[in-house]
Amino acid sequence: MNRRILLAAAAALPFLAVGPAPAAAGSRACVDSPDTALRVCIAVDARGPSYQVVRNGREVIRRSALGLSLEGDGPAQVNRIERIERAYADQTWEQPWGEQRLVRDRHNEMRVRLAGPAGARPYEVVVRAFDDGFGFRYDVPAAGPVEVLDEATEFNFAGRYDAWWYPARERERDEYLYTRTDLDAVSLAETPFTLQGEGLYLSVHEAALVDYASMNLRRTGPGAFKADLMPWSDGVRVRRDGAFVTPWRVVLVGESAGALADSRLVLNLNEPNRLGDVSWVKPTKYVGVWWEMHLNRSTWGGGPTHGATTANVRRYIDFAAENGFGGVLAEGWNTGWDGDWIANGDKFSFTQAHPDFDLAGLADYARQRGVGLIGHHETGGAVENYERQLDAALDLYAGAGVRAVKTGYVKPNGTIVHPGPDGATQSEWFAGQYMVRHHQKVAEAAAARHISIDAHEPVKDTGLRRTWPNLVSREGARGQEFNAWGRPTNPPEHVTILPFTRLLAGPMDYTPGIFDLTFGKAKVEERVQSTLATQLALYVVIYSPVQMAADLPENYAARPDAFQFIRDVPVDWETSKTLAGEIGDYVVVARRQRGGADWFLGAVTDETARRVPVTLDFLEPGRRYEAQIYRDGPGADYVSNPYAFETARRVVTAHDRLELALAPGGGQAIRFRALD
Ligand code: NOJ
Ligand code: CA
């Protein structure tokens, strides 16, 4: 059964035209958000088409160019608005799984047709204005093959802002620490690109990146940015055949950092579920042969130190079964991957297991114990090799009852090779159109077999999980793995930045839950830079429907007091709210379990200790809850005393207030168990 249902009364007719359609032509047309605070205007003048954004009468985005440059277009350009069509929507749709079950999509739409003299290619700009931001896309008519040489879209900010960003198109793809700088210190930035200033929080991103190139932002002048699409190796940005729409260009606008995090605008701009009944997509917690290899205690490659042996994986299956986890990941199970992540991806086999790894036997054993294996396809960036084996690889897993596969694309950015039309080798960026197409192919091939995908080194998320709900999670930022490598590890502020940057794009497989924070390292920048309580809080702060308990079973066995929270915390939510937070300082998130009455809270801080008051008015009025509190103990400090930890219990209601005491690098996790 398709679990996606429309609930609002207007659902049967979600789009109703409210203006004269088509409206009179002119040179300027505007659309307001439903609350009328935000106004997006499109204009055409001698310099070409542009847009401008005003919020409560104040300019937020100055005149910014619009347009695409297509191969073969002559000098004649669009110079007038030929037609305007308007619509509005107010509908509520249901996510099959997610951070929030019911999502309201309320917006005003304006579709503007731009035209010009003979020879100018007409096209449409579709704008949707929401209370929490806006999006626009190009709708381009074309007959036959077409090449996008450039996209003119600008984002010219009015006023002074700081930006949270890292450089795009660098070697490690999206795995960089964010820095906060003046907007004018930015060079080329990845999105979501988050700004703070003028009493506002903005974030520029894109939605529905399908068969197109991923967008970065290049600074072109004071406060001025231009879309920079990751090109093919020959410089062409995008190749399409026939009419096409671009991804939505999105700007979230809020008066608090939390307003950005709680926006569902990116999802709303994606197409509804195309997979129908997706009850086979299972949000789950998982464990696996993973952290031990990142700590160099076992290896991906075969031989005496091989990690993914039948015996070792059985140990993790037992641990998962005993603790209620649904999945067990086994990396390094296949031949050809000799341990070097990058050098020889074209030799990886996706069907041949090492002799000491019995896939069928383990799958059976897992099934008996009520656990599922999570498959692993590290490609080493050798995409052609993977695509050649894709069907056989997925068939093998599907036959063994594997319902989720983690993929990986470890290779320096810009070195994804494939044969070009003339047989010569071409090298592509990790998120150009070539890779966007590849990930789409994997998503669809996996969906056909009822397999979910969790991609590492992915193309950034743009909300495609709405359309293909088997795209459950992805990496796309510095995850916990960096905390094993020590060069240096993630500073405490990293997890207070992610909710307002990377996580605006969608779920992240951060792999929280490290309990042995020091693993023999003396220097703080060589081990996990957090307290124990923080590791619990991350299960709530960082949303993902697949959430790893990443540490070794013996480290959980040593801390049953803290481990209880990981056993209890769900991965699928009825609703989610960011209660407080400032980017790079701290964040407090509360989520209500889906299909249950319990609430869960997670709070993390940067290197600064703080006391954060929280009113519990998110709890159901009139209900009593037992607050099961997991917090930093006396003297806790991520540098000097990371294991100081305590638990407490008290009965609370929606009228109560708590003060969360967070140690330096600390955190707090609370389960509010409904009592009546
Ligand atoms: C990098 C991924 O992020 C990590 O999770 C994985 O273990 C390694 N690549 C090997 O595939
Ligand atoms: Ca990675």
Side-chain angles (χ1 to χ4, degrees), residues 290 294 331 337 341 376 378 406 410 456-457 475 481:
W290 185 75
H294 285 273
E331 293 197 1
W337 186 8
W341 284 4
H376 189 237
E378 173 56 62
K406 171 178 169 180
V410 173
H456 278 231
E457 300 78 42
E475 189 190 40
E481 61 184 5

Side-chain angles (χ1 to χ4, degrees), residues 233 416-420 422-427:
S233 49
I416 303 283
V417 296
H418 69 108
D422 55 359
T425 296
Q426 297 189 353
S427 289

Side-chain angles (χ1 to χ4, degrees), residues 455-507:
H456 278 231
E457 300 78 42
V459 170
K460 68 186 168 190
D461 201 347
T462 56
L464 296 181
R465 63 188 158 126
R466 180 174 179 190
T467 315
W468 291 278
N470 68 321
L471 293 175
V472 286
S473 196
R474 58 187 90 194
E475 189 190 40
R478 274 173 70 122
Q480 185 94 271
E481 61 184 5
F482 277 80
N483 295 336
W485 304 342
R487 50 181 192 204
T489 56
N490 298 332
E493 70 164 12
H494 185 55
V495 293
T496 71
I497 299 170
L498 290 176
F500 308 110
T501 52
R502 159 67 183 84
L503 294 175
L504 302 180

